[in-house]
Amino acid sequence: MFEIRPASPADRAALYRICLETADSGADATGLYRDPLLVGHIYAGPYLEFAPDFAFVLKDGAGVGGYVIGVLDTAAFEERLEREWWPGLRSRYLDPADVPPGERTPDERLAHLLHHPQRADPAVLAGYPSHLHIDLLPGAQGEGHGRRMLERLFTALREAGSPGVHLGVGGRNTRAQGFYRHVGFRELARSPSGAITMVLGL
Ligand code: ACO
């Protein structure tokens, strides 16, 4: 039986592992990256560190099978990343700026991202200042846990005063796109690479 509970610092390794094992458009990206921590450093670690009130895990007897992580105020979160999170990583991972984009390895693409992070569009943040990531391992998918975890996060965000949440989903991750539409998100923008920004009022 799975239960949803607030995440704790002890869940950090599980979050990093699940992040990697779902990072290839929802599928396992373990074979894609040479450094197994890089994906988690970007998409999991800072959420647990800076927004623990909006981090929840799905757990059963076998351990943590998924998580949802969010932030209340994306702009403030991005400022904090600049001050307190990226500097340490930038000193450990070189900026591959001189490698042409088309020739970068998957690790180099992520290293470039942490040196040159994309900032959220202020026009999106005006109505939907919060954002989230959700990842469940295959054994936990398709049983309604994703919906329940989003509802848990939305309750926490609503109680903290958020008017709305946005997210970014890759163009190849059609399953997650269908899930988000089904639970009420609408598409706001699509990038040339096919990545979609979706929003939901709370
Ligand atoms: N199209 C239409 N409806 C769907 C789809 C789909 N592709 N997928 C699920 N649904 C529906 C379900 O039928 C269900 O409907 P109901 O509540 O009306 O009966 C509802 O959505 C909820 O489905 P859940 O079973 O809760 O979905 P699940 O637990 O599998 O969670 C998730 C979905 C989060 C995408 C999960 O499969 C997952 O973690 N996948 C791998 C990682 C991933 O891709 N994460 C998203 C990355 S993008 C980001 O985090 C911003």
Side-chain angles (χ1 to χ4, degrees), residues 16 30 33 58 64 67 72 82 84-85 131 135 140 144 149:
Y16 270 61
T30 303
Y33 296 102
L58 183 69
V64 175
Y67 63 77
L72 180 64
E82 275 305 323
E84 300 178 38
W85 192 259
H131 81 272
D135 290 308
M149 293 187 79

Side-chain angles (χ1 to χ4, degrees), residues 1 6-7 12 23 33 39 45 65 76 84-85 88 109 116 134 155 165 167 185 194 197-198 200:
M1 280 292 287
R12 184 174 179 273
Y33 296 102
V39 179
E84 300 178 38
W85 192 259
R109 285 202 286 275
H116 309 276
I134 180 169
T155 298
V165 62
L167 59 83
F185 279 83
T197 301
M198 302 180 105
L200 179 75

Side-chain angles (χ1 to χ4, degrees), residues 19 32 40 49 59 71 78-79 97 109 133-134 190 196:
C19 190
L32 208 54
E49 182 77 13
K59 193 172 180 308
V71 303
E78 289 176 342
E79 292 298 330
R109 285 202 286 275
H133 298 283
I134 180 169
R190 193 178 284 244
I196 299 175

Side-chain angles (χ1 to χ4, degrees), residues 116-196:
H116 309 276
Q118 289 176 336
R119 303 293 283 256
D121 180 349
V124 175
L125 297 185
Y128 310 94
S130 306
H131 81 272
L132 68 87
H133 298 283
I134 180 169
D135 290 308
L136 311 184
L137 291 176
Q141 296 172 7
E143 302 284 339
H145 300 308
R147 185 194 272 281
R148 289 197 302 122
M149 293 187 79
L150 285 187
E151 283 166 1
R152 182 77 178 257
L153 173 65
F154 294 163
T155 298
L157 289 172
R158 247 183 241 117
E159 286 175 358
S162 177
V165 62
H166 73 276
L167 59 83
V169 57
R172 289 193 297 124
N173 196 347
T174 52
R175 177 180 180 176
Q177 292 169 19
F179 164 74
Y180 291 130
R181 283 197 187 88
H182 187 82
V183 299
F185 279 83
R186 73 178 168 88
E187 182 173 332
L188 194 69
R190 193 178 284 244
S191 78
S193 71
I196 299 175

Side-chain angles (χ1 to χ4, degrees), residues 5 7-21 36-37 39-41 44-45 48 57 63-67 137:
R5 64 157 172 75
S8 80
D11 296 316
R12 184 174 179 273
L15 261 62
Y16 270 61
R17 181 175 53 80
I18 294 167
C19 190
L20 179 63
E21 290 182 9
L37 299 180
V39 179
H41 282 328
L48 189 61
V57 294
V64 175
Y67 63 77
L137 291 176

Side-chain angles (χ1 to χ4, degrees), residues 20-36:
L20 179 63
E21 290 182 9
T22 56
D24 186 7
S25 297
D28 192 353
T30 303
L32 208 54
Y33 296 102
R34 292 190 63 182
D35 186 320

